[in-house]
Amino acid sequence: EIVMTQSPATLSVSPGERATLSCRASQSINSNLAWYQQKPGQAPRLLIYGASTRATGIPARFSGSGSGTEFTLTISSLQSEDFAVYYCQQYNNWPLTFGGGTKVEIK
Amino acid sequence: QVQLQESGPGLVKPSETLSLTCTVSGGSVSSGSYYWSWIRQPPGKGLEWIGYIYSSGSTNYNPSLKSRVTISLDTSKNLFSLKLSSVTAADTAVYFCARDWIYGYGRYIFDYWGQGTLVTVSS
């Protein structure tokens, strides 16, 4: 099983600032990585797939990069609605696995 | 617009079988472009993929749960179901159903999710 490790666990950011979230895979997953946003009491929402492709309707301030084992999600200018928990997920190997999440909170 | 809706008991006794249903609207579970998955999230914790079913009826389960999981499909009612046997308190979680879009060979992502349903295992 591929282990996905996200850092930091919590990120404190002021509105308007940039947020950079990291995700590391225990072995190469090529570019088979997705990012999801989850708000309290809601289901996760797909943001990025293929490591860098934004899903339909996702604002351009969200961007993804990386391949192999190291990946990054960048939110260029945090809006109030972006404060949430973010999960990465690999789909290169079965079973599909998720990272433990990064909580982006208001500084 | 595709919508998924979970339903089933919110309380299950230890050692019994958890049963949930996911009803799909705005799309067909018979489509060959998707897997139909179950994912769970213990309170305050991360996400765990349980397994999927394809339109052909083929399944794939997480090895950590494989011995206790059955996912089935009812194309006439456009729904799929989860059964998890011999439950313990560790199975207490929000259970989500999700559509797994096959956008390329070996490439699949969860593009639509149900809102989730909390299942508590307790006597």
Side-chain angles (χ1 to χ4, degrees), chain A residues 1 31-34 36 38 41-46 48-51 87 89 91-92 94-100, chain B residues 35 37 39 41 45-49 52 60-63 96 100-101 103 106-111 113-116:
Chain A
E1 172 175 317
S31 296
N32 295 321
L33 182 101
Y36 300 86
Q38 187 178 34
Q42 296 185 18
R45 176 176 72 142
L46 176 66
I48 300 284
Y49 63 96
Y87 293 96
Q89 177 240 323
Y91 49 95
N92 195 71
W94 302 102
L96 307 180
T97 51
F98 294 85
Chain B
Y35 297 128
S37 279
I39 297 154
Q41 185 172 38
K45 296 187 178 181
L47 298 157
E48 180 180 33
W49 173 73
Y52 76 68
N60 188 8
Y61 301 138
N62 192 322
F96 296 97
D100 207 355
W101 173 40
Y103 72 95
R107 292 176 170 77
Y108 11 75
I109 51 171
F110 302 116
D111 61 346
W113 298 62
Q115 87 282 4

Side-chain angles (χ1 to χ4, degrees), chain A residues 13-107:
Chain A
V13 185
S14 299
E17 290 189 340
R18 174 188 293 259
T20 303
L21 289 67
S22 295
C23 176
R24 174 177 292 177
S26 60
Q27 65 187 72
S28 177
I29 58 170
N30 302 298
S31 296
N32 295 321
L33 182 101
W35 289 94
Y36 300 86
Q37 175 194 68
Q38 187 178 34
K39 296 180 180 178
Q42 296 185 18
R45 176 176 72 142
L46 176 66
L47 299 175
I48 300 284
Y49 63 96
S52 60
T53 302
R54 278 189 303 277
T56 302
I58 301 304
R61 64 180 180 273
F62 291 93
S63 63
S65 64
S67 66
T69 62
E70 300 285 341
F71 301 88
T72 300
L73 174 69
T74 301
I75 311 171
S76 59
S77 176
L78 271 160
Q79 307 298 302
S80 58
E81 61 267 30
D82 300 335
F83 292 95
V85 179
Y86 293 82
Y87 293 96
C88 60
Q89 177 240 323
Q90 68 80 21
Y91 49 95
N92 195 71
N93 289 69
W94 302 102
L96 307 180
T97 51
F98 294 85
T102 290
K103 180 180 181 180
V104 178
E105 64 177 24
I106 300 174
K107 187 175 182 179

